[in-house]
């Protein structure tokens, strides 16, 4: 496992778990700093000891071999793996760039940490002083104190965001800033070898592969860095609109009043609340030690009451009664807004406001017609245009084109051959339509499964898993994806003219087709794997298309056979399913009426027809996500396979257990 991603939204919660994740990044930076110092020392020894070059090279290689990069996230791309493998075989390093990286990047992160620690101490001290302020003081004095605390809190949040951004930037930057000097020094060192020409020629493929991998990693870094920086700016401007989706209904710090030996004290806890079981969990936390102290306390909420200011010296208080703990627990929130949120979570007075999203586009007949019309225009007018799909059209024109094309009253009047509609406007309209669908084309449900498949080490298994997931998509999504991938494959075939390779198209469409439900740093780190999924689908789109056509062909043949062998209108029918007398294998029409012909029960569900009791073979592996589903590997044989009332699913028996099977995962025998 790599380093955990640091979410900017966690800067506002400042939870103990966030501090622990941040500490793991700090330890990694310290380890990198120490390693670079040692590497510089060994590198200087290597340069000064050319007479004993073989010994120095071995020691240097050993030092490199002991160090492994940790990436942010739980997997690496093929390019990052390539860099990791090549660097283990490198023997030399350019000293100055390494010293510059250590002084400029790691030292900057350490300075940011000092500032962050200083602001943490200052914020905790000001908050405790503020919360101890008596409510009986003048309103103007209290208002001034509130404003002062808000300013300190806002400054602390900004410092925290900038520190997290700097830490993750250094972690990502070292993947290429550290490797490039190694590559440059290796290339220069060949002039010292007696057999330099032969060695350089043997090294050429290594240098080419590593150069490409470094460039790809740098490009992904630049793309990821801009996305992370944009998210940080959004968090600074509107922190409340970008809170992370938590498994808890509410969480944060609360001060709890504790009475011991007739003395009342306020103790700081990190609290979480789940609305469904009404469970409150508290963890004692000491900010000075920077970690948890004490065991976790948990109890069931009975009631929550707002505490009036005149009933207690402290502000922002509310009383909680629990089922399994006697007495009343008085808690103090960090502000009036914080108390309101806790009251809402615990079914307080303020109603929870729901935000409704307007659906702008659908996978319906209109959507398919518009996409086909746009794709035809691109392929006939501008498939050779350089930067196709990378160059963005004017937003107002894109909006106008989409509104006209999707309106039944005006769609027939839209002439895409007109000079008014530039190719960049049409391609931007295609991307915008896919972006504003209620859910991404490859669905939120399978988003994590596609990412997991892209992280597989075996390229063949990676392709098979992604194709299997495509066949699990809803039919309309699958049809639209097939239409799009066929088009993108055509675009990629003209890459010598339009400069849009499969990799470039993956960068453009990956975040759109596999966008996550929540905008987080972890999701941004997965963009590179979203791109890989789209690259695989473009490269292998013909294989997916043939699989779908074969499945349709089998259904058509089966329907024809049923009609040929159907019985007379007087045949009995079940109230639930139509039944037909049919032979076990296709027969001429004249033999269909034979009394000796074996019969099978045929299920007709919508446009699909299934013969009950048949055997089927699994085309892909599948892991059950529910107790009613079956798990199996490719090649598994199922008994008694028949239709299910669940759309898109069959029902069959495996090892004396009956369960659901994805319809597109099997072929009948």
């Amino acid at each position: 496992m790599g380093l955990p991603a640091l979410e900017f939204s966690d800067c506002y919660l400042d939870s103990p778990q966030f501090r622990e994740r941040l500490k793991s990044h700090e330890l990694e930076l310290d380890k990198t700093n120490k390693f670079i110092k040692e590497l510089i020392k060994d590198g200087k020894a290597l340069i000064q000891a050319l007479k004993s070059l073989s010994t120095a090279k071995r020691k240097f290689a050993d030092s490199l071999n002991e160090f492994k990069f940790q990436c942010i996230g739980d997997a690496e791309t093929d390019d990052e793996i390539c860099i990791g493998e090549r660097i283990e075989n490198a023997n030399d390093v350019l000293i100055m760039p390494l010293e510059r990286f250590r002084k400029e990047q790691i030292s900057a992160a350490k300075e940011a940490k000092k500032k962050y620690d200083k602001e943490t101490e200052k914020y905790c001290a000001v908050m405790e002083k503020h919360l101890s302020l008596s409510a009986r003081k003048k309103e103007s004095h209290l208002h001034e104190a509130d404003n002062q605390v808000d300013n300190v809190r806002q400054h602390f949040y900004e410092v925290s965001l900038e520190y997290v951004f700097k830490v993750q930037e250094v972690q990502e930057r070292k993947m290429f800033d550290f490797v490039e000097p190694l590559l440059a020094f290796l290339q220069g060192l060949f002039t010292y070898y007696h057999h330099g020409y032969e060695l350089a020629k043997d090294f050429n493929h290594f240098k080419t592969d590593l150069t490409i991998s470094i460039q790809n990693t740098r490009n992904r870094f630049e793309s990821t860095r801009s996305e992370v920086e944009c998210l940080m700016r959004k968090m600074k401007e509107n922190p409340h609109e970008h809170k992370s989706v938590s498994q808890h209904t509410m969480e944060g710090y609360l001060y709890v009043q504790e009475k011991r030996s007739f003395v009342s004290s306020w103790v700081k806890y990190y609290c979480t609340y789940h609305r469904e079981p009404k469970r409150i969990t508290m963890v004692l936390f000491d900010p000075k030690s920077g970690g948890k102290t004490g065991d976790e306390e948990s109890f069931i909420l009975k009631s929550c009451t707002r505490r009036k200011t005149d009933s207690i010296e402290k502000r922002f208080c509310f009383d909680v009664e629990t089922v399994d703990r006697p007495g009343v627990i008085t808690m103090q929130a960090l502000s009036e807004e914080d108390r309101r949120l806790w009251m809402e979570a615990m079914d307080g007075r303020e109603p929870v406001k729901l935000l409704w999203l307007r659906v702008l586009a659908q996978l319906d007949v209109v959507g398919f017609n518009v996409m086909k019309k746009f794709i035809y225009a691109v392929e006939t007018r501008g498939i050779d245009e350089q930067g196709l799909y990378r160059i963005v059209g004017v937003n107002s024109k894109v909006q106008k084109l989409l509104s006209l094309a999707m309106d039944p009253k005006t769609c027939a009047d839209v002439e895409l051959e007109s000079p008014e509609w530039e190719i960049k406007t049409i391609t931007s309209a295609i991307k915008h339509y896919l972006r504003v669908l209620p859910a991404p084309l490859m669905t939120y449900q399978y988003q994590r499964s596609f990412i997991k498949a892209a992280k597989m080490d075996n390229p063949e298994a990676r392709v098979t898993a992604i194709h299997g997931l495509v066949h699990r998509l809803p039919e309309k999504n699958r049809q639209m994806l097939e239409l799009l991938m066929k088009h993108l494959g055509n675009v990629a075939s003209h890459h010598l003219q339009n400069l849009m390779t499969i990799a470039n198209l993956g960068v453009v469409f990956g975040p759109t087709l596999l966008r996550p439900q929540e905008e987080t740093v972890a999701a941004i780190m997965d963009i590179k794997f979203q791109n890989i999924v789209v690259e695989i689908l473009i490269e292998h789109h013909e294989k997916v298309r043939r699989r779908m056509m074969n499945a349709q062909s089998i259904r058509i043949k089966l329907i024809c056979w049923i009609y040929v062998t159907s019985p007379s209108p007087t045949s009995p029918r079940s109230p639930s399913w139509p039944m037909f007398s049919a032979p076990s294998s296709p027969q001429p029409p004249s033999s269909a009426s034979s009394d000796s012909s074996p019969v099978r029960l045929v299920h007709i569900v919508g446009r699909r027809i299934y013969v009950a009791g048949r055997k089927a073979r699994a085309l892909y592996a599948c892991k059950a996500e529910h107790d009613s589903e079956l798990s199996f590997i490719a090649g598994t044989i199922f008994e008694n396979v028949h239709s299910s009332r669940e759309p898109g699913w069959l029902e069959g028996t495996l090892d004396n257990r009956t369960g659901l099977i994805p319809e597109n995962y099997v072929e009948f025998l």
Side-chain angles (χ1 to χ4, degrees), residues 153-171:
R153 180 189 294 115
Q154 183 62 32
H155 185 63
F156 167 71
Y157 287 159
E158 291 181 0
V159 171
S160 180
L161 287 168
E162 291 170 358
Y163 177 47
V164 168
F165 173 76
K166 185 61 182 177
V167 166
Q168 297 199 122
E169 181 189 20
V170 175
Q171 299 284 26

Side-chain angles (χ1 to χ4, degrees), residues 184-253:
F185 191 59
L186 274 175
Q187 193 169 1
L189 193 62
F190 293 148
T191 57
Y192 290 93
Y193 293 153
H194 180 68
H195 53 290
Y197 174 77
E198 289 80 8
L199 187 61
K201 189 168 70 172
D202 293 340
F203 181 75
N204 189 54
H205 71 90
F206 164 87
K207 182 190 69 173
T208 302
D209 292 345
L210 189 53
T211 302
I212 293 172
S213 295
I214 291 172
Q215 186 59 45
N216 289 341
T217 304
R218 179 186 287 276
N219 292 340
R220 291 191 179 106
F221 164 80
E222 294 296 340
S223 175
T224 301
R225 184 187 183 280
S226 62
E227 292 284 344
V228 174
E229 188 175 15
C230 179
L231 178 58
M232 184 188 71
R233 287 198 300 268
K234 291 179 182 178
M235 294 294 298
K236 282 185 176 182
E237 295 169 0
N238 298 298
H240 296 294
E241 293 181 10
H242 292 83
K243 288 185 176 179
S244 61
V245 178
S246 173
Q247 59 178 330
H248 312 296
T249 308
M250 183 66 184
E251 60 180 312
Y253 286 107

Side-chain angles (χ1 to χ4, degrees), residues 120-136:
T120 299
E121 184 178 352
K122 178 181 177 181
Y123 172 67
C124 290
V126 170
M127 180 58 67
E128 290 186 4
K129 181 180 179 181
H130 180 64
L131 294 176
S132 299
L133 197 63
S134 174
R136 295 189 175 89

Side-chain angles (χ1 to χ4, degrees), residues 193-354:
Y193 293 153
H194 180 68
H195 53 290
Y197 174 77
E198 289 80 8
L199 187 61
K201 189 168 70 172
D202 293 340
F203 181 75
N204 189 54
H205 71 90
F206 164 87
K207 182 190 69 173
T208 302
D209 292 345
L210 189 53
T211 302
I212 293 172
S213 295
I214 291 172
Q215 186 59 45
N216 289 341
T217 304
R218 179 186 287 276
N219 292 340
R220 291 191 179 106
F221 164 80
E222 294 296 340
S223 175
T224 301
R225 184 187 183 280
S226 62
E227 292 284 344
V228 174
E229 188 175 15
C230 179
L231 178 58
M232 184 188 71
R233 287 198 300 268
K234 291 179 182 178
M235 294 294 298
K236 282 185 176 182
E237 295 169 0
N238 298 298
H240 296 294
E241 293 181 10
H242 292 83
K243 288 185 176 179
S244 61
V245 178
S246 173
Q247 59 178 330
H248 312 296
T249 308
M250 183 66 184
E251 60 180 312
Y253 286 107
L254 291 171
Y255 284 81
V256 178
Q257 186 181 39
E258 294 186 352
K259 297 179 180 179
R260 297 173 182 171
S261 303
F262 305 102
V263 177
S264 178
S265 61
W266 292 86
V267 183
K268 190 176 184 179
Y269 284 87
Y270 190 82
C271 302
T272 59
Y273 176 71
H274 289 265
R275 177 177 277 118
E276 266 314 309
K278 290 190 173 183
R279 182 175 297 279
I280 302 174
T281 303
M282 304 193 315
V283 178
L284 182 64
F285 182 75
D286 181 10
K288 295 180 180 179
S289 67
K292 292 181 284 188
T293 59
D295 297 329
E296 196 176 77
E297 296 183 51
S298 183
F299 38 84
I300 303 298
L301 176 69
K302 183 178 180 182
S303 67
C304 178
T305 308
R306 181 187 300 275
R307 190 72 178 263
K308 293 183 178 180
T309 306
D310 56 1
S311 66
I312 192 171
E313 269 199 10
K314 300 285 187 178
R315 298 195 295 163
F316 321 134
C317 293
F318 57 94
D319 291 337
V320 169
E321 290 184 274
T322 64
V323 175
D324 42 2
R325 176 170 169 171
V328 174
I329 305 173
T330 300
M331 296 181 169
Q332 183 185 27
L334 302 182
S335 64
E336 185 61 42
E337 174 66 11
D338 192 37
R339 176 169 67 172
R340 183 185 68 80
L341 293 174
W342 279 103
M343 294 290 293
E344 284 183 354
M346 296 181 180
D347 296 324
R349 298 175 185 175
E350 292 80 11
V352 179
K353 298 178 180 179
L354 299 176

